[in-house]
Amino acid sequence: MPKNQPTDTTHHMRDGSVVLAMRPNTTKWQMRIKRPTGDWEIKSTKTTELKLAKEIAEERYDELRFRQKNDMPLDDARKFHTVAEEYVQQLELLKGIGADKRIHATYIRHVKKYMIPFFGNMDLAEVDENALANYDNFLRSEMGKEPAKSSYNSHNVALRAIFNLAIQKKWMLRSQIPKTSVKGKGKKTIRRPHFEDAEWNKLTSVMFGKVWRTGGKTYMSNYKREVLRLYVLILGSTGMRCGEETLNLKWKHVKSHKLDKRLMDKLPPQLLDEDEPKSVIMFRVEGKTSEHEAQGYRNCIARVNVDGWLDQLKEITKRSEPDDYLFCTGDGVPLKDGPHMFTKLLSYCDLLEDENGQNRSLYSIRHMYATKKIRLGIPYEVLAQQMGTSVEMIERHYSHNKIEEWAVELAG
C-alpha cells in the first residue's frame, strides 16, 4: 500500500490559521489553531472523522475570535498557580535589575508560603469571595493567631496584583475579581514599644555603671557588654536599624562632615567653640535603603556627642582600620548576639515590658529616636531620609506624637 501523501494527512483552513494533521501512531486528528495572541494552540480533536474534526477546529477558531472581540478571557480554566508563579517571576526580575522595593519580598513570601498552597490548583474563576473567606481562616490556622490588619492588607495587595496580571493576559475578566477588604479583620494596632526619657535615662545609667559593665563571668562577657553599650548609644543617636544596617558598618563608612556658617548658627551656644571648626559625624549606611537612594546607600547624621563614643569603641576593640567592623567580637566579626544580650539587660533594669505589656527590643531604640525627633519638630520628609524609610511609614506609626504635642493649643 502506498504511503500517505501530505495532502492526505494535513489540511489547511481559514487561510492557514487552522491546520488539521494526522500524527504518527494515532488515528485521531490533531488541530493547530492560531490564537489572537499570535501563538498556536495545539490539541487533539478526539475524533477519527475528518469532517467532524474540521467542524471542531473551526468552531474553536471562531470561539477564540469571538472572545477577543468581546474582551473575554481566551481560556476559561487557567489555574491560579500559573499566574501567581509568573507574578513572582516579575518581582524577582525587578530585584535582579535593582528596581525592586522592600515590600516585594513580603509579597513573594505570601504567594509562595500561603497563596499557592491554598489557591494553587483552583481555576482563577473559582477564587471568589467565599474562597477568600476560607483563605482568611487558613491564614489564622497557619499563623496560629489572628494576623494584624497590615498583614491582611499586604496579602490583599498581592492578590489584586495577581488578578490584574491575569486580566492583562486575558485569562479572566475584571468583573470576575472578588472584592478584598480588611474591614473587621486583624488585630488592633498597638503603638510600637519605645523608651520615654526617664526609662532611657535609667537604662543608660545602668550601662554606664561599673556593676553591669564588669559583672560578666568572663573577660569576653565584659568585652561584649562594653561593645553593646556603645552599640545602643549610637543606635539612639542615629535612628539606624539594628542588625544588618548597623553591624555592617566599617570604619571606612564613618566620615566627618564640616558644617558651614549657616548651619553653625543653628548650634546651641554650649556646643560652639571658636578655636576649632565644627563638624558632625556621618555614617554611610547600606541595607534596606535602595528603595529610597538610587546609589544603594544613605548618609545618616549622628548627634554631636557620638565622636567620643567612637573613640571608646576603637580603644575597646583595638580595631580602626578602614575595613574593620565597628561593632565586633574579639576576633573582628560582627557582634551577632546583641539582641539576646539586650533582652537580658532590659530584664536586669526591669524595662523589658512597656505600659501595654509589649516586650521591648533593640528596635525600640529606633522607635524612641523617631518619637523624640518628631517632638522636636523635625519634618517627616527629613526624618524618613535619615532613617531610610518612607514618609508614609513615619506618618502611620508616629503621627500620634504630632497631635499630642499640640494638646494644649487644641484644648484651649
Side-chain angles (χ1 to χ4, degrees):
M1 179 179 289
K3 294 182 179 179
N4 287 335
Q5 298 299 316
T7 53
D8 298 327
T9 59
T10 306
H11 298 268
H12 296 268
M13 298 166 285
R14 302 295 179 91
D15 296 325
S17 294
V18 177
V19 180
L20 283 177
M22 183 67 72
R23 308 301 298 170
N25 304 319
T26 181
T27 59
K28 295 181 180 179
W29 290 97
Q30 182 187 73
M31 60 182 181
R32 294 177 61 237
I33 300 172
K34 192 169 187 179
R35 295 161 60 91
T37 52
D39 56 331
W40 288 85
E41 180 175 291
I42 303 174
K43 59 176 63 174
S44 173
T45 63
K46 299 182 181 180
T47 182
T48 59
E49 297 182 22
L50 178 59
K51 182 179 178 181
L52 179 58
K54 288 182 177 181
E55 291 176 359
I56 292 171
E58 290 188 312
E59 282 181 5
R60 178 56 178 165
Y61 176 84
D62 292 337
E63 179 189 4
L64 290 173
R65 267 60 195 172
F66 175 83
R67 287 177 173 273
Q68 180 195 37
K69 182 178 179 180
N70 291 279
D71 197 29
M72 296 172 64
L74 296 182
D75 300 279
D76 287 328
R78 290 284 180 171
K79 299 298 183 182
F80 179 90
H81 73 84
T82 303
V83 64
E85 288 163 359
E86 184 164 342
Y87 170 64
V88 169
Q89 290 174 2
Q90 289 184 357
L91 295 185
E92 290 175 340
L93 177 62
L94 291 175
K95 182 178 181 180
I97 61 175
D100 60 320
K101 299 180 179 180
R102 283 204 312 276
I103 192 63
H104 289 174
T106 300
Y107 297 155
I108 290 173
R109 184 172 64 253
H110 289 343
V111 173
K112 289 183 174 181
K113 187 174 181 179
Y114 300 108
M115 294 180 190
I116 290 179
F118 186 82
F119 297 117
N121 289 320
M122 296 174 64
D123 295 341
L124 284 167
E126 293 180 304
V127 184
D128 54 15
E129 292 181 17
N130 183 58
L132 293 185
N134 292 333
Y135 180 65
D136 291 342
N137 292 329
F138 171 74
L139 287 180
R140 297 184 187 101
S141 175
E142 289 295 302
M143 295 182 180
K145 61 181 181 180
E146 176 66 19
K149 191 176 290 292
S150 60
S151 180
Y152 278 118
N153 186 62
S154 62
H155 279 261
N156 288 345
V157 170
L159 274 171
R160 287 194 293 269
I162 291 171
F163 291 140
N164 285 332
L165 178 58
I167 290 171
Q168 292 174 19
K169 301 179 79 65
K170 297 190 180 298
W171 290 350
M172 67 184 302
L173 299 174
R174 189 165 297 278
S175 61
Q176 293 178 296
I177 296 181
K179 182 180 179 182
T180 58
S181 173
V182 296
K183 186 176 181 180
K185 302 178 188 176
K187 293 183 296 185
K188 182 180 178 182
T189 302
I190 302 176
R191 280 188 199 175
R192 295 182 173 189
H194 64 284
F195 297 95
E196 291 294 347
D197 289 345
E199 295 166 330
W200 180 249
N201 291 338
K202 180 180 179 180
L203 176 64
T204 53
S205 294
V206 171
M207 288 194 302
F208 275 101
K210 185 177 180 180
V211 174
W212 181 79
R213 292 169 68 179
T214 61
K217 295 182 179 180
T218 64
Y219 164 80
M220 186 52 61
S221 294
N222 291 331
Y223 168 90
K224 287 183 177 181
R225 290 187 180 198
E226 290 283 37
V227 175
L228 177 67
R229 175 176 63 89
L230 296 165
Y231 182 41
V232 167
L233 292 172
I234 291 174
L235 284 176
S237 297
T238 60
M240 287 187 287
R241 293 180 179 85
C242 57
E244 177 184 348
E245 234 180 46
T246 314
L247 292 180
N248 283 344
L249 285 174
K250 298 179 178 181
W251 287 108
K252 65 183 178 183
H253 298 142
V254 182
K255 304 293 182 184
S256 180
H257 176 69
K258 185 178 178 181
L259 300 177
D260 58 30
K261 186 178 184 307
R262 178 180 59 86
L263 296 175
M264 287 278 288
D265 291 340
K266 294 183 179 182
L267 285 173
Q270 64 269 28
L271 295 179
L272 292 173
D273 189 336
E274 297 291 340
D275 297 331
E276 60 176 302
K278 269 293 172 188
S279 62
V280 294
I281 298 297
M282 186 158 53
F283 295 94
R284 173 175 162 149
V285 179
E286 300 176 0
K288 293 184 178 181
T289 225
S290 59
E291 178 182 352
H292 311 284
E293 299 287 347
Q295 63 268 43
Y297 67 88
R298 73 177 189 277
N299 290 317
C300 186
I301 305 294
R303 290 184 61 192
V304 291
N305 56 345
V306 81
D307 50 353
W309 296 333
L310 293 175
D311 290 339
Q312 291 180 41
L313 196 56
K314 290 178 181 178
E315 183 178 349
I316 292 166
T317 63
K318 309 301 182 190
R319 296 178 184 277
S320 59
E321 294 298 317
D323 283 317
D324 287 337
Y325 291 103
L326 270 69
F327 307 103
C328 60
T329 60
D331 54 0
V333 300
L335 182 69
K336 297 292 187 181
D337 48 357
H340 174 67
M341 293 175 61
F342 190 65
T343 297
K344 293 181 68 174
L345 171 61
L346 291 176
S347 295
Y348 179 81
C349 299
D350 195 26
L351 290 171
L352 182 58
E353 291 189 357
D354 69 358
E355 60 183 7
N356 294 313
Q358 295 188 101
N359 283 354
R360 294 186 175 98
S361 65
L362 281 171
Y363 242 90
S364 300
I365 302 173
R366 178 173 164 88
H367 305 322
M368 175 195 69
Y369 179 88
T371 298
K372 286 177 176 285
K373 295 305 179 185
I374 288 173
R375 289 174 179 174
L376 289 173
I378 301 294
Y380 286 176
E381 293 80 4
V382 174
L383 192 56
Q385 290 183 38
Q386 168 80 355
M387 299 179 68
T389 187
S390 66
V391 173
E392 290 76 17
M393 286 294 290
I394 297 290
E395 290 177 336
R396 182 184 306 168
H397 295 293
Y398 304 106
S399 59
H400 62 274
N401 296 315
K402 194 84 170 179
I403 197 70
E404 287 170 3
E405 291 306 300
W406 291 95
V408 174
E409 289 80 359
L410 290 169

